[in-house]
């Protein structure tokens, strides 16, 4: 039998599959089909499948498969849960995790609340270049606080890759219908973002205090998007210096709860440092035969709750959003 986990970071929910405990690793197409099946049909679904594998240089490797089966370069909320999994598996609290574009430093952070373990993860690399998003809009090589009427008349947008693609707009009110319409439009074929884009609308609540709602590529609305909140925090620090205290973390509220980000600006903006700090909650232990995984047969799972969700919900009650 194979053990999997259902986990979340700020209620951005995932299944974790550790390929290194299998007799025969799943192929890319098996992983894609399994991600679609798990995320649609098991335990009220999830936003993606996080696949752990061996790494030559790091304690482990993380791959990210969205609910629609598309693969992403990075997942901030997911990396916190993968870091906890590896930390407990190897009894280490500080190490690196290999992701598609870089080896990221991660470390255990103080619990966010009794029973709510937390991790701090590096979000990197950072690029604003159109070739790295990718995007194409008129003759822009970078899109930073630009008015783009074709997206939403009267709003300004910034595009940043961390390294998955993000489009960010600071708005006075987050209107879900507008965000949904833009999300569908920019993730459809032949448009401004050929590989799609995660879109975040952000409200500035106070100095170093944001609320972020993201429409995720390959998923749709999620309770939180770690790379989205991280990218938004960097753009916030760049665009609103009078509202950003560089000596303190930024508190980022989201529909699933709250995380912290730490931004270290650099005169060369791509060399700025982003750390995402937040919960890594394991909600369910799942057991299934390896054969069933290869066959994508998920109708005979042994599932038990870990009991951690009640602690996370107590944490959510304790934060005044
Ligand atoms: N949907 C994203 C991947 C998951 C990112 C998000 N869940 C996070 O926590 O960063 C993309 O296609 O780039």
């Amino acid at each position: 039998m194979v053990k999997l986990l259902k986990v979340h970071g700020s209620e951005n929910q995932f299944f974790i599959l550790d390929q290194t405990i299998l007799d025969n690793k799943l192929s890319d197409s098996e992983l894609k089909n399994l991600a679609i099946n798990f995320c649609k049909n098991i335990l009220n679904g999830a936003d993606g499948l996080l696949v752990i594998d061996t790494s030559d240089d790091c304690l482990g490797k993380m791959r990210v498969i969205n609910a629609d089966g598309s693969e992403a370069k990075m997942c901030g909320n997911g990396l916190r849960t993968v870091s906890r999994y590896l930390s407990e598996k190897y009894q280490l609290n500080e190490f690196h995790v290999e992701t598609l574009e870089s080896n990221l430093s991660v470390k255990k952070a103080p619990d966010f609340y009794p029973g709510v373990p937390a991790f701090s993860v590096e979000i990197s690399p950072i690029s604003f270049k159109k070739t790295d998003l990718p995007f194409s809009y008129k003759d822009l090589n970078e899109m930073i606080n630009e008015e783009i009427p074709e997206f939403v008349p009267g709003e300004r947008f910034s595009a940043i890759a961390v390294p998955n693609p993000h489009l960010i707009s600071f708005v006075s009110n987050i209107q879900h219908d507008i965000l949904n319409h833009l999300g569908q439009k920019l993730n459809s074929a032949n448009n401004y973002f050929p590989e799609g884009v995660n879109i975040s609308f952000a409200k500035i609540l106070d100095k170093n205090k944001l609320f972020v709602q993201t429409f995720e590529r390959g998923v749709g609305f999620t309770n939180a998007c770690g790379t989205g909140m991280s990218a938004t925090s960097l753009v916030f620090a760049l665009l609103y210096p009078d509202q950003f205290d560089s000596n303190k973390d930024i508190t980022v509220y989201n529909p699933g709860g709250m995380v912290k980000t730490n931004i270290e600006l650099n005169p060369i903006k791509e060399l700025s440092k982003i750390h995402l700090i937040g919960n890594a909650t394991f909600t369910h232990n799942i057991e299934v035969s390896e054969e069933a995984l290869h066959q994508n047969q998920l109708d005979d799972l042994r599932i038990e709750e870990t009991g951690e969700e009640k602690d996370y919900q107590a944490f959510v009650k304790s934060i005044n959003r």
Side-chain angles (χ1 to χ4, degrees):
M1 294 295 268
V2 177
K3 283 189 187 323
L4 291 95
L5 285 168
K6 187 168 186 200
V7 304
H8 71 72
S10 230
E11 293 296 352
N12 186 200
Q13 302 182 3
F14 305 99
F15 292 95
I16 287 184
L17 168 66
D18 180 355
Q19 291 262 55
T20 68
I21 63 173
L22 301 180
D23 296 332
N24 302 297
K25 293 183 182 181
L26 295 176
S27 67
D28 283 5
S29 66
E30 285 176 327
L31 289 173
K32 178 183 169 120
N33 295 331
L34 207 58
I36 293 168
N37 191 352
F38 262 117
C39 292
K40 185 161 177 288
N41 303 312
I42 308 301
L43 285 170
N44 298 322
D47 305 321
L49 175 68
L50 304 172
V51 183
I52 292 171
D53 213 328
T54 51
S55 163
D56 297 338
D57 319 315
C58 301
L59 194 60
K61 174 162 68 175
M62 175 184 77
R63 289 175 66 187
V64 183
I65 304 177
N66 285 314
D68 72 349
S70 61
E71 181 157 6
K73 291 176 179 172
M74 183 38 195
C75 178
N77 288 321
L79 182 56
R80 301 200 309 270
T81 63
V82 165
S83 299
R84 176 182 166 191
Y85 175 86
L86 292 170
S87 168
E88 294 177 356
K89 181 174 180 181
Y90 297 107
Q91 296 302 305
L92 289 169
N93 285 341
E94 195 163 348
F95 47 89
H96 284 75
V97 177
E98 180 185 335
T99 63
L100 234 54
E101 274 201 13
S102 59
N103 298 340
L104 300 174
S105 69
V106 303
K107 72 175 177 195
K108 187 161 172 48
D111 288 2
F112 256 34
Y113 195 79
V116 181
F119 274 76
S120 170
V121 299
E122 176 192 3
I123 303 288
S124 165
I126 297 164
S127 175
F128 294 81
K129 292 195 176 30
K130 73 176 196 176
T131 47
D132 290 333
L133 262 287
F135 79 83
S136 62
Y137 182 79
K138 295 185 177 160
D139 59 351
L140 286 186
N141 182 46
E142 290 186 344
M143 185 187 290
I144 300 180
N145 209 29
E146 298 279 350
E147 266 207 67
I148 315 276
E150 296 86 343
F151 292 175
V152 181
E155 298 298 350
R156 290 180 173 274
F157 291 87
S158 301
I160 172 174
V162 288
N164 59 336
H166 288 274
L167 183 67
I168 291 145
S169 184
F170 289 90
V171 296
S172 45
N173 273 304
I174 294 171
Q175 294 179 285
H176 284 77
D177 52 338
I178 294 177
L179 179 51
N180 185 52
H181 178 72
L182 186 60
Q184 304 291 348
K185 174 177 171 174
L186 298 185
N187 285 291
S188 63
N190 53 55
N191 75 79
Y192 304 97
F193 290 86
E195 292 177 18
V197 64
N198 302 283
I199 308 171
S200 293
F201 281 6
K203 265 182 87 167
I204 301 172
L205 303 175
D206 203 339
K207 209 172 174 73
N208 280 39
K209 222 175 182 185
L210 303 173
F211 184 94
V212 179
Q213 168 73 68
T214 306
F215 180 102
E216 285 199 40
R217 174 181 64 170
V219 192
F221 281 118
T222 57
N223 288 311
C225 175
T227 47
M229 295 184 286
S230 302
T232 300
S233 297
L234 174 56
V235 174
F236 166 72
L238 290 168
L239 298 185
Y240 300 94
D242 56 324
Q243 305 246 40
F244 171 56
D245 178 348
S246 60
N247 300 312
K248 292 191 184 126
D249 288 347
I250 297 171
T251 300
V252 187
Y253 295 100
N254 54 68
M258 175 269 279
V259 300
K260 300 265 184 185
T261 54
N262 186 279
I263 304 294
E264 225 180 286
L265 285 180
N266 185 296
I268 302 169
K269 59 184 182 297
E270 291 80 359
L271 299 183
S272 299
K273 294 261 177 263
I274 308 176
H275 284 88
L276 171 67
I277 308 110
N279 76 301
T281 296
F282 292 176
T283 56
H284 299 83
N285 294 307
I286 300 165
E287 282 198 6
V288 63
S289 72
E290 176 165 337
E291 192 46 36
L293 289 178
H294 284 282
Q295 301 300 323
N296 192 16
Q297 291 294 325
L298 301 181
D299 41 20
D300 182 19
L301 304 176
R302 200 177 309 161
I303 295 173
E304 57 159 21
E305 288 190 49
T306 63
E308 292 186 22
E309 186 57 16
K310 69 178 181 331
D311 297 325
Y312 182 77
Q313 287 309 319
F315 160 67
V316 173
K317 276 207 185 65
S318 74
I319 56 174
N320 49 346
R321 275 187 275 186

